[in-house]
Amino acid sequence: MLAAAVRSGSLSAREVIEQHLDHIARTNADLNAIVTLAAESARREAHEIDARVARGEPVGALAGVPFTVKDLIATAGVRTTAGSFALADNVPRIDAPAVARMRAEDAVLIGKTNTPEFGSSGLTYNDMFGYTVNPLSPAGTKLSPGGSSGGESAAIASGMSVLGLGTDFGGSVRWPAHCTGLYSIRPTPGRVDPDGQYPGVMHDHRVLTNTATMHGAVQTIGPMARTLEDLTLALRVLSSPRYRWIDPAAVPIGKLDIRWAAGEGTIPVDAEIRAATEAAALRTASFVRTLAPYDGTALRSANDLFTQLRACETQTDIEQYGPAEFSENIRTILAAVRPTSATEVEALWAKRAELQHRLLAEIGDVLILPVASILAPPLGETSFDVGGTTLSWSQALASSRAISILGLPSVVVPVATSESGLPIGIQIIARPWHEHHALAIAAALS
């Protein structure tokens, strides 16, 4: 990894940053992945790292590694817009804790990446910055990198950064990884400090997580990378010291029980994705204790529950920033809010507890699922045909949404390539706080 070369002095952090800045200058105009460049601060930080190395002082585990951050996550001194004109000039004073942990290990922030306004779509577009393009688009066409962390996935997949921080509500670090051939992880909620995400509760120049909302309860910050080794290191850096970190390499995978399914059971899945998911699952049979198909109803019910809880959101955290500068998409979301009694909402959360208990009783140690029903879609399209059924982007993410609402950690691993040359990723899902199990199976499949 780059950090080892920087720590040894065989490669300077300044050289690494200049190489990446040059690559951004050549590449970003076509992809529109990075919307705010932090070139001068990156150069200063790289110079300081090199000076410490020259003096023989210790440097961090990510010394000199360029990273990017989704434009929903607060970065001190670097503009953070959440893709909204309402925050066009917003420059936070305080880093999100996840950003601070990366910087504490001497990773170098090189830029902020595009996102739909307030992360409200699975396709990366907003009125302020426009569309982000998938770097794996075939010649003569343009594909989406997914969303809402699509700017992040495009930046990493194209080599503009090494690591990135995205957010995941209904699949927003998993779906972009699937679309661009990356590794990503949605951690167990709480594994990575969730504060610093817009929208949230503004207090003392900080963005605090409002856990009374579905957004605050479900959305996580998660890393993305081109290699599993880098992803695992990033998660270790980000992981709260309140929770024990277990090295995935120490997991006795021969004792794990695996279940798999080719979808959550209600939404059709592209035939190539189904085949790739099944093939990856069957590969585990030679090194795990048991492998069996999963046909429980908990997943189907969980996807429905995600939709029901989403409809109850009051969106007051977003409303505080507007509404004059909001896009039509956000105004539509706000207009759709319907009054819901506390009794109704509490009943839905009670159902969530039941479903989580049922699923955990049925899946063993690890569950393998598709990430989405479709491959990376054409840029600008919002409906997709799968076996004669027309799906919206949110329906296409049914498997990811079901896992989100149940609060389970999920690692995405690219396992195949479609006939059209596009990557196919799968989810490797573990029990809460058992990310090491998912990462261990990911390593065995990589």
Side-chain angles (χ1 to χ4, degrees), residues 147-198:
S148 60
S149 305
E152 200 56 54
S153 66
I156 298 168
S158 64
M160 287 190 268
S161 66
V162 174
L163 293 172
L165 297 183
T167 67
D168 191 299
F169 181 59
S172 290
V173 299
R174 290 166 288 165
W175 159 236
H178 161 74
C179 288
T180 57
L182 298 180
Y183 294 84
S184 71
I185 185 166
R186 172 192 166 83
T188 306
R191 166 73 70 181
V192 177
D193 192 319
D195 285 347
Q197 300 179 69
Y198 291 86

Side-chain angles (χ1 to χ4, degrees), residues 143 178 270-273 276 375-376 415-425:
L143 301 178
H178 161 74
D270 173 87
E272 287 187 283
I273 295 174
L375 302 168
V415 294
T417 303
S418 72
E419 289 184 4
S420 60
L422 297 179
I424 298 174

Side-chain angles (χ1 to χ4, degrees), residues 42-402:
R43 288 181 172 116
R44 286 196 303 271
E45 290 169 21
H47 175 76
E48 291 169 4
I49 292 168
D50 289 336
R52 286 160 55 199
V53 170
R55 293 193 297 267
E57 298 174 3
V59 291
L62 296 174
V65 174
F67 78 109
T68 40
V69 174
K70 185 179 183 178
D71 204 23
L72 285 182
I73 303 172
T75 44
V78 180
R79 183 177 64 160
T80 303
T81 74
S84 179
F85 283 114
L87 291 169
D89 300 316
N90 177 52
V91 179
R93 297 187 189 182
I94 299 172
D95 279 328
V99 174
R101 290 188 70 83
M102 295 287 284
R103 284 177 149 163
E105 293 295 338
D106 292 317
V108 178
L109 177 66
I110 203 165
K112 301 300 290 293
T113 55
N114 204 18
T115 176
E117 189 172 12
F118 294 110
S120 59
S121 171
L123 304 170
T124 300
Y125 166 84
N126 61 63
D127 289 349
M128 183 158 53
F129 297 119
Y131 283 99
T132 294
V133 178
N134 190 326
L136 304 186
S137 298
T141 189
K142 291 183 178 180
L143 301 178
S144 171
S148 60
S149 305
E152 200 56 54
S153 66
I156 298 168
S158 64
M160 287 190 268
S161 66
V162 174
L163 293 172
L165 297 183
T167 67
D168 191 299
F169 181 59
S172 290
V173 299
R174 290 166 288 165
W175 159 236
H178 161 74
C179 288
T180 57
L182 298 180
Y183 294 84
S184 71
I185 185 166
R186 172 192 166 83
T188 306
R191 166 73 70 181
V192 177
D193 192 319
D195 285 347
Q197 300 179 69
Y198 291 86
V201 178
M202 303 306 300
H203 175 73
D204 194 24
H205 305 295
R206 300 176 187 273
V207 190
L208 305 180
T209 302
N210 186 353
T211 54
T213 67
M214 181 189 176
H215 176 269
V218 171
Q219 183 154 296
T220 65
I221 292 175
M224 307 175 75
R226 290 191 296 273
T227 71
L228 185 61
E229 179 185 13
D230 287 351
L231 183 79
T232 303
L233 175 57
L235 182 65
R236 180 171 65 79
V237 165
L238 294 166
S239 185
S240 170
R242 291 177 294 177
Y243 304 108
R244 181 186 176 201
W245 173 260
I246 298 176
D247 184 355
V251 172
I253 60 175
K255 297 182 179 180
L256 298 183
D257 296 316
I258 311 293
R259 303 292 180 265
W260 71 277
E264 49 70 67
T266 65
I267 302 297
V269 177
D270 173 87
E272 287 187 283
I273 295 174
R274 290 175 61 90
T277 303
E278 179 176 5
L282 293 178
R283 283 171 55 197
T284 69
S286 64
F287 53 77
V288 299
R289 183 166 63 182
T290 65
L291 172 70
Y294 175 72
D295 58 0
T297 60
L299 281 179
R300 297 192 285 277
S301 298
N303 182 43
D304 290 340
L305 180 62
F306 185 103
T307 301
Q308 292 171 315
L309 278 167
R310 183 62 165 157
C312 296
E313 285 277 66
T314 62
Q315 305 298 341
T316 53
D317 288 343
I318 290 179
E319 284 183 325
Q320 69 182 304
Y321 302 112
E325 296 96 340
F326 290 156
S327 68
E328 181 179 354
N329 180 48
I330 295 297
R331 291 196 298 270
T332 299
I333 290 172
L334 295 176
V337 171
R338 64 175 180 83
T340 308
S341 72
T343 301
E344 289 179 89
V345 175
E346 288 170 7
L348 291 174
W349 284 109
K351 183 177 180 181
R352 186 250 194 184
E354 292 176 14
L355 289 175
Q356 186 185 60
H357 181 78
R358 282 172 50 195
L359 186 74
L360 292 177
E362 297 168 350
I363 65 167
D365 300 298
V366 169
L367 174 65
I368 294 175
L369 283 179
V371 174
S373 291
I374 58 174
L375 302 168
L379 199 69
E381 290 195 13
T382 57
S383 61
F384 316 99
D385 178 80
V386 178
T389 300
T390 300
L391 305 179
S392 65
W393 65 261
S394 58
Q395 290 173 315
L397 298 183
S399 291
S400 286
R401 285 154 52 102

Side-chain angles (χ1 to χ4, degrees), residues 1-12:
M1 191 178 178
L2 285 173
V6 170
R7 286 195 298 270
S8 71
S10 62
L11 183 64
S12 72

